[in-house]
Amino acid sequence: MAGDWRSPIGRRVVLFPFPSGSHITPMLQLAGLLRARGLGVTVLHADFNAPDPARHPELAFVSIRESLPDEVAASPDQAERMMGLNAACEAPFQAALEELVHRGGGPVACALVDGQWYGMLGAARRAGVPALALGAGSAAAFLAMLAAPRPRADGYVPIEEADRLDEVVPGLEPLRVRDLIGLDGSDGETVLRFAASVAGAVRDASSGVVLNTFDAIEGPELAGIRRELSRPVFAVGPLHLAAGPPAEQQHAPDGGCLAWLDARPPRSVLYVSLGSASRVDRAAFEEMAWGLAGSGVPFLWVLRPGSVGGAADADGDLPPFPEELHETVRRRGKVVAWSPQGAVLAHPAVGGFWTHCGWSSVVEAVCEGVPMLVHPCLADQTVSARYVARRWGVGMEVGRVVERTAMARAIRRLMAREHGPQAPRERARLLRTQARQCVAEGGPASLAIDDLVEYIMGL
């Protein structure tokens, strides 16, 4: 255990992040903001993919000591794995929470658990502790999860109906059926079971919802969640601006890429990263490489070991480029295994971002005014991609099939110095201004955190 859970105002919150980097980071950023406002903070965590307490000495960490069956951790079905995690962690979480309730250090005001931990919302209620759900993704994705269990008469279209994939989903515009959340290795019915579990727990056992977003980009979606739930919804984002960059790093970044960017003209470089978990096959990788080469645009490409299926050798080296492209990559590109993404997106040389549309990446790009080329791979990334391209107008869609000639054309269009209020670059600049106004002193995000603390104190 690290840190101290005692609070100058005598109340503390217990946080429980879902065990993946994109969920742990916003939870710990929120922890810092709550602690700065006088609340004590204890972070319960699973041993599976646990956060590193040494990186957060100001917080108290307590393991729930779960026993996770091997078949759950290794399951190729993502929905089944997430449901298995909930089943394995529910009782240990409840026991650990009850122990904290009866231990000294001030009363537990509430538990704040990741929304994917649907089992923990009920466990907290059984322990006599009010619980709030933190959505690590967008408000649009959270609203889609709430809508997923609806019967067909209420407008939900099952994701596996191929002949209806391009229909807009009633009540979730601009999402089409193909944009609804899917999970790796999971069929539509399994995804629906998981979504129904999340939606049911949030409705039945939560005292409110906290989201890493802001009204300027998701006002209608936040209003939709409030209508669905009839309980408080706190938009506290963008958390990385309000709380600072994360201490957690899933991989060691290559800081040399910043020096490489220093030598490039303003807004000339396309930054390419498909995140920390997405994979593409060898054919798609080669089409990406040829598309970048054919675009004529300088590029910084994050290619972590294992990100290209079947391409890395036994030592986990980066995938090899086609021999014909070696000179192009040497002359016009830079390839790294990982990057300090926040600093890269803020660099004046970066003029566009080819992204998988993980929510953290989208928010970081929005906050730096960088237009996006969207290439969703899994989970709620399809939702974010649709919003980037169709609702906010700050990016362009790659398309379902990566093809080198179309990609080269799309890259050139994204990087073009277009002007006018509807150009992606101008739209991105506008959202950047709105995001920074949101986290300014007295801005909506700051007020939302204050409201959240006041609400917690009254539970």
Side-chain angles (χ1 to χ4, degrees):
M1 185 179 71
D4 187 349
W5 58 53
R6 289 172 295 185
S7 160
I9 58 178
R11 304 294 295 277
R12 53 189 166 134
V13 293
V14 175
L15 277 61
F16 191 44
F18 200 76
S20 73
S22 61
H23 290 249
I24 292 171
T25 294
M27 181 72 80
L28 296 183
Q29 288 169 330
L30 181 58
L33 293 172
L34 295 176
R35 188 175 182 276
R37 283 161 171 79
L39 287 169
V41 176
T42 299
V43 180
L44 289 179
H45 64 87
D47 286 333
F48 179 71
N49 288 344
D52 182 1
R55 294 181 180 271
H56 307 273
E58 76 283 5
L59 301 176
F61 288 81
V62 177
S63 169
I64 65 168
R65 306 292 185 195
E66 82 281 4
S67 178
L68 189 64
D70 291 342
E71 61 269 20
V72 170
S75 175
D77 186 318
Q78 190 176 0
E80 290 286 2
R81 184 165 67 250
M82 294 166 86
M83 289 188 284
L85 277 166
N86 271 271
C89 292
E90 187 170 345
F93 168 79
Q94 182 174 336
L97 183 58
E98 289 172 342
E99 182 178 351
L100 288 176
V101 167
H102 294 103
R103 186 188 295 178
V108 174
C110 76
L112 206 158
V113 306
D114 191 286
Q116 310 285 14
W117 280 133
Y118 59 83
M120 311 314 126
L121 291 170
R125 183 172 59 179
R126 292 191 297 273
V129 177
L132 288 85
L134 173 66
S138 67
F142 198 88
L143 186 59
M145 291 284 282
L146 294 177
R150 290 176 181 168
R152 186 186 302 269
D154 288 337
Y156 181 74
V157 184
I159 196 168
E160 65 266 22
E161 293 191 5
D163 59 334
R164 305 186 68 179
L165 290 179
D166 288 315
E167 291 186 15
V168 174
V169 182
L172 295 178
E173 299 84 356
L175 298 183
R176 304 159 298 182
V177 174
R178 71 169 65 255
D179 302 317
L180 294 173
I181 296 167
L183 297 171
D184 272 5
S186 307
D187 60 32
E189 289 302 318
T190 308
V191 173
L192 279 178
R193 281 197 293 119
F194 174 72
S197 298
V198 171
V202 170
R203 285 192 169 93
D204 296 341
S206 75
S207 297
V209 172
V210 183
L211 291 162
N212 180 21
T213 190
F214 55 107
D215 274 281
I217 59 172
E218 293 200 285
E221 290 69 34
L222 289 163
I225 295 170
R226 292 183 178 106
R227 286 193 301 271
E228 286 277 343
L229 297 178
S230 300
R231 68 201 64 190
V233 177
F234 302 92
V236 298
L239 280 171
H240 77 284
L241 286 186
E248 295 284 324
Q249 287 286 351
Q250 292 172 270
H251 308 280
D254 182 341
C257 62
L258 297 177
W260 182 85
L261 288 171
D262 288 341
R264 268 65 195 172
R267 297 185 297 279
S268 65
V269 175
L270 179 69
Y271 173 55
V272 185
S273 175
L274 299 185
S276 60
S278 300
R279 288 169 59 90
V280 297
D281 61 28
R282 176 73 198 192
F285 161 71
E286 293 201 0
E287 291 299 307
M288 291 176 70
W290 281 107
L292 286 165
S295 72
V297 171
F299 58 89
L300 169 62
W301 192 354
V302 175
L303 273 174
R304 70 181 197 283
S307 62
V308 178
D313 65 18
D315 295 324
D317 289 340
L318 297 179
F321 283 85
E323 185 174 349
E324 304 92 323
L325 296 183
H326 287 181
E327 177 60 23
T328 298
V329 172
R330 186 195 65 78
R331 179 171 44 84
R332 187 153 38 85
K334 184 170 180 62
V335 179
V336 297
W338 198 244
S339 76
Q341 181 163 286
V344 167
L345 289 171
H347 198 285
V350 172
F353 182 16
W354 184 345
T355 174
H356 67 309
C357 278
W359 184 240
S360 293
S361 291
V362 168
V363 173
E364 288 174 355
V366 163
C367 291
E368 298 301 338
V370 179
M372 288 168 267
L373 199 62
V374 296
H375 183 172
C377 298
L378 51 88
D380 61 349
Q381 296 165 11
T382 50
V383 174
S384 298
R386 186 67 171 171
Y387 270 70
V388 166
R390 297 293 177 170
R391 174 60 63 83
W392 307 327
V394 295
M396 300 164 49
E397 293 174 292
V398 167
R400 294 189 296 276
V401 178
V402 180
E403 191 277 323
R404 64 187 70 180
T405 303
M407 286 310 313
R409 187 184 309 118
I411 291 167
R412 287 193 293 268
R413 283 184 58 201
L414 183 78
M415 299 296 288
R417 305 294 178 85
E418 296 181 9
H419 297 286
Q422 299 308 311
R425 193 170 303 282
E426 295 302 320
R427 292 285 306 155
R429 286 174 179 163
L430 173 63
L431 291 188
R432 178 186 186 277
T433 298
Q434 293 173 328
R436 290 172 186 276
Q437 289 171 342
C438 186
V439 298
E441 186 176 355
S446 179
L447 294 176
I449 292 287
D450 292 340
D451 289 344
L452 174 60
V453 171
E454 183 178 354
Y455 183 67
I456 289 172
M457 294 295 293
L459 288 173

